Amino acid sequence: MSTKVWLSSPHMGGEELKYVNQAFETNWIAPLGPNVNGFERDLESFLNQKTKVAALSSGTAALHLALIECNVGYGDEVICQSLTFSASANPIVYLGATPVFVDSEKDTWNMCPIALKEAVNDRIAKGKKPKAIVAVNLYGMPAKMDEILAVAAEFDIPLIEDAAESLGSTYKGRSCGTFGRFGILSFNGNKIITTSGGGALVCHSEEDKKRAVFLSTQARDEAPHYQHSEIGYNYRMSNICAGIGRGQMEVLKIRVEGRRKMHDFYTDITKNMEGVKMFSEPNEDFYSNHWLSVITVDEKLASRNHEDLRLAFLEDDIESRPIWKPMHMQPVFKDAPYYGESVAETLFKTSLCLPSGSNLTDDDRKRIEKIMMNVFSNKKNILVS
């Protein structure tokens, strides 16, 4: 039997055990240790822009702390991209605030600057100036940061850049994760590099990083005894996980190259498939790590749809998934305000994430290509109105 082809599986480089073994040999099994400090330095060096990085237990934890540092609290509103994973919105609710969702634009599938400005103006008119903006780099594609930052600056609202999917991507040569007051990184098992679980908060001042570290270690005051003047969280990354991360950092650039080659592979095989389009950079300002390669399918032109392909893949034990269901369409957020048109909804109804791992083999690619060629060459009869 053929082995399963995963959507995005971990890809070890071989050096991870070196750092993990060092932790065992020196008995640094406690939550903190040299690997945490080393991993943070590695990330700061990679991102540049004089960043300060706090390694945490997840990207969700990083976003939660970023919102706290932006003084988001009960009754506040935070603008959030609708086309994203729920982890971009959930921490807003943790704090008793309300997410205000904004549609995507068609070029990058990320937050539409026009809809963003409309949302800010309307919320202010209703007496609720948003406390923060959460913009996402979807599937590794940088958002239109110049336009989004211009709106944030015009209204003096801090931007939080959710770069959980875009480590290694750049916008106009600058690393994703460094544009907002805070940046969010994720090292979940399916990401471009992994620490098993884990994430990081990207800051631009030592003060902001120290505040994040303080809150992430149960907000313990300076005292010989355990004293707490604020509510804290158990959000710090462990020394063992950070050791995995240090090994992964040694191959990060190679992993980005591997993901981009998968995107090139799909671009090549879909170029003559009528009605099938790759999600790609709109111009040279955008450099995506292509964490996930995604297609849209125009059923009227292709005579097939993205679900036909997903089911065909499934029969051959190949994993693929529909893109994120927009947050404003989710039952849990049905009462949240929404601004924009139907770009995100249309993308959700027509798009599919394809197997994108940097560890896929030539045999895996042959199986994928065979299925895709079969689906889009064997057209079914449909009534086109």
Side-chain angles (χ1 to χ4, degrees):
M1 290 182 63
S2 299
T3 57
K4 185 178 181 70
V5 175
W6 297 96
L7 182 74
S8 179
S9 64
H11 191 179
M12 296 294 101
E15 293 300 305
E16 294 84 3
L17 274 176
K18 176 180 70 176
Y19 296 101
V20 173
N21 285 336
Q22 285 175 3
F24 276 89
E25 290 165 2
T26 57
N27 204 33
W28 277 104
I29 310 302
L32 298 178
N35 281 334
V36 174
N37 297 330
F39 186 40
E40 290 175 341
R41 288 194 300 269
D42 293 343
L43 287 165
E44 290 166 357
S45 176
F46 181 83
L47 294 170
N48 208 337
Q49 300 298 318
K50 298 181 179 179
T51 52
K52 301 295 180 181
V53 174
L56 302 168
S57 57
S58 68
T60 309
L63 180 53
H64 189 192
L65 295 183
L67 291 166
I68 291 172
E69 293 212 43
C70 289
N71 298 313
V72 174
Y74 184 83
D76 289 331
E77 293 186 349
V78 175
I79 291 183
C80 182
Q81 186 165 312
S82 182
L83 187 54
T84 185
F85 180 50
S86 62
S88 300
N90 287 340
I92 299 169
V93 182
Y94 297 169
L95 293 166
T98 298
V100 175
F101 294 113
V102 169
D103 198 7
S104 297
E105 39 78 13
K106 295 179 181 179
D107 292 335
T108 71
W109 299 12
N110 291 311
M111 183 176 283
C112 174
I114 297 171
L116 169 61
K117 188 168 184 177
E118 176 193 349
V120 174
N121 276 319
D122 192 57
R123 300 323 291 175
I124 290 174
K126 286 179 167 61
K128 278 283 189 180
K129 180 181 176 181
K131 277 292 191 72
I133 298 167
V134 179
V136 182
N137 302 315
L138 196 72
Y139 299 123
M141 186 66 69
K144 291 183 176 179
M145 281 301 167
D146 283 352
E147 292 93 328
I148 292 171
L149 283 167
V151 176
E154 179 181 350
F155 294 96
D156 192 27
I157 301 173
L159 176 70
I160 299 171
E161 183 190 4
D162 186 343
E165 302 170 3
S166 61
L167 182 61
S169 300
T170 62
Y171 174 70
K172 295 186 175 180
R174 179 172 169 177
S175 293
C176 287
T178 67
F179 286 92
R181 179 182 170 187
F182 295 104
I184 310 303
L185 302 178
S186 172
F187 310 111
N188 191 27
N190 63 1
K191 293 300 188 293
I192 197 104
I193 62 168
T194 185
T195 58
S196 179
L201 182 65
V202 182
C203 310
H204 291 280
S205 72
E206 189 64 37
E207 180 183 3
D208 279 347
K209 175 181 175 177
K210 286 181 178 178
R211 175 74 174 155
V213 170
F214 170 72
L215 291 170
S216 70
T217 50
Q218 300 291 16
R220 180 184 175 187
D221 294 337
E222 288 285 345
H225 52 277
Y226 286 90
Q227 177 166 302
H228 306 271
S229 303
E230 297 182 64
I231 295 296
Y233 307 89
N234 185 18
Y235 279 171
R236 204 70 161 109
M237 180 179 285
S238 80
N239 196 50
I240 299 297
C241 289
I244 299 172
R246 296 202 71 186
Q248 288 273 279
M249 286 299 295
E250 295 186 13
V251 293
L252 173 54
K253 290 183 179 180
I254 298 171
R255 297 295 175 261
V256 172
E257 291 174 4
R259 299 273 175 161
R260 286 178 59 83
K261 285 180 179 177
M262 282 304 301
H263 178 267
D264 291 343
F265 160 75
Y266 287 119
T267 299
D268 185 58
I269 66 174
T270 59
K271 62 186 177 183
N272 294 320
M273 291 179 180
E274 190 176 8
V276 180
K277 184 179 180 182
M278 289 299 302
F279 176 39
S280 302
E281 294 93 335
N283 59 56
E284 62 185 11
D285 287 342
F286 301 83
Y287 180 89
S288 174
N289 65 15
H290 290 299
W291 168 58
L292 292 185
S293 291
V294 189
I295 56 168
T296 56
V297 181
D298 184 333
E299 188 171 4
K300 290 184 178 181
L301 294 176
S303 298
R304 311 284 284 186
N305 59 39
H306 69 296
E307 182 67 1
D308 293 324
L309 179 59
R310 188 187 70 83
L311 293 174
F313 275 147
L314 192 62
E315 288 183 7
D316 195 36
D317 208 14
I318 298 172
E319 185 181 24
S320 63
R321 286 184 189 169
I323 66 169
W324 305 124
K325 183 177 182 179
M327 292 299 100
H328 74 277
M329 298 173 67
Q330 299 285 354
V332 72
F333 294 123
K334 61 180 172 42
D335 296 324
Y338 172 73
Y339 293 83
E341 298 180 358
S342 57
V343 174
E345 292 181 34
T346 300
L347 290 170
F348 170 64
K349 293 173 183 176
T350 58
S351 304
L352 188 72
C353 297
L354 306 173
S356 305
S358 52
N359 53 359
L360 294 179
T361 66
D362 287 340
D363 285 342
D364 293 334
R365 281 183 281 273
K366 287 177 182 177
R367 286 171 59 192
I368 292 167
E369 181 175 7
K370 180 180 178 181
I371 295 292
M372 292 183 70
M373 295 296 289
N374 183 57
V375 168
F376 292 112
S377 62
N378 293 331
K379 295 190 176 184
K380 62 184 179 182
N381 294 320
I382 63 170
L383 181 62
V384 179
S385 58

